[in-house]
Amino acid sequence: MFRATSFALLMLSVANPALADEVTDTLSSALQAYEDGDIKYAIEELDYAKQLLQAMSAQELTSFLPEPPDGWTREIGESDMNVGLSFLGGGAAAEATYSDGTETFTISIMADNPMVAMFGGMISNAAIMGLKTHRVGREKFLFDDGDLTGLIDGRIIVQASGADPEVMIAILEEIDFNGLKEFGR
């Protein structure tokens, strides 16, 4: 399967040089190393291709961070979250800081990390655990220790922290949760 996929990517990039990019070049290099018997280098190239693809995924995830409302600014974080995720089983993350000069808070989105699933039970059972929840559109967010945390589609965590819940909810409501559910599919 790997050989067929790599061969198809290689042929696609050869047939149309405009489609060649760093990912296809790296996959081609991995395939060549494999064919040359250099398994160690093939693995290194595959790991690098995975990093490149995860960076592309994180960039796509950034598009779900809401635009700031009038009077607010948004700064997209060059977060180390994606590096940390690689040690925790992979996935993608994006983060932005919002400020109106008085209030400042952060929205983080983390997708497709194995640790995300553990939050599902906690959010589902928030009332039993005595924790407060808020609705953001049709999504349920747990409010704990100043953080709003929602589990979207069982695989994506959206978290806002650093300001009054009502301030954060107003901006969280701008997230396209239906589109976010389709992320990576």
Side-chain angles (χ1 to χ4, degrees):
M1 175 70 175
F2 168 74
R3 289 186 100 178
T5 302
S6 295
F7 181 74
L9 287 171
L10 178 61
M11 291 298 103
L12 184 63
S13 67
V14 170
N16 187 349
L19 295 177
D21 62 17
E22 194 170 9
V23 174
T24 55
D25 292 347
T26 304
L27 289 171
S28 295
S29 176
L31 180 59
Q32 185 62 53
Y34 171 76
E35 289 173 350
D36 292 345
D38 190 349
I39 303 302
K40 181 179 178 192
Y41 187 69
I43 291 170
E44 288 174 13
E45 287 292 84
L46 289 173
D47 286 342
Y48 183 60
K50 183 179 177 182
Q51 285 178 326
L52 293 171
L53 291 168
Q54 286 174 327
M56 291 168 64
S57 184
Q59 184 63 36
E60 181 184 344
L61 196 58
T62 299
S63 70
F64 290 98
L65 292 165
E67 290 293 325
D70 289 340
W72 287 76
T73 61
R74 177 185 76 171
E75 183 176 327
I76 302 292
E78 294 299 321
S79 174
D80 293 331
M81 290 175 67
N82 287 298
V83 174
L85 287 178
S86 64
F87 293 109
L88 299 172
E95 183 176 75
T97 301
Y98 296 82
S99 179
D100 70 352
T102 305
E103 299 248 29
T104 300
F105 70 95
T106 302
I107 295 177
S108 303
I109 304 174
M110 181 172 52
D112 300 325
N113 181 279
M115 294 185 64
V116 169
M118 75 179 179
F119 287 102
M122 194 165 121
I123 291 170
S124 298
N125 297 308
I128 295 170
M129 297 168 36
L131 300 171
K132 188 173 182 180
T133 60
H134 289 273
R135 283 276 180 199
V136 177
R138 292 184 165 191
E139 303 299 331
K140 185 173 21 172
F141 277 69
L142 171 71
F143 182 67
D144 184 42
D145 200 26
D147 294 339
L148 285 164
T149 306
L151 181 65
I152 314 305
D153 198 36
R155 62 188 186 86
I156 302 168
I157 288 181
V158 176
Q159 184 174 53
S161 59
D164 181 81
E166 299 310 316
V167 171
M168 296 186 294
I169 288 171
I171 296 178
L172 285 171
E173 287 176 337
E174 299 301 315
I175 294 175
D176 176 6
F177 289 109
N178 289 329
L180 188 57
K181 289 175 184 177
E182 296 301 315
F183 170 78
R185 293 187 177 184

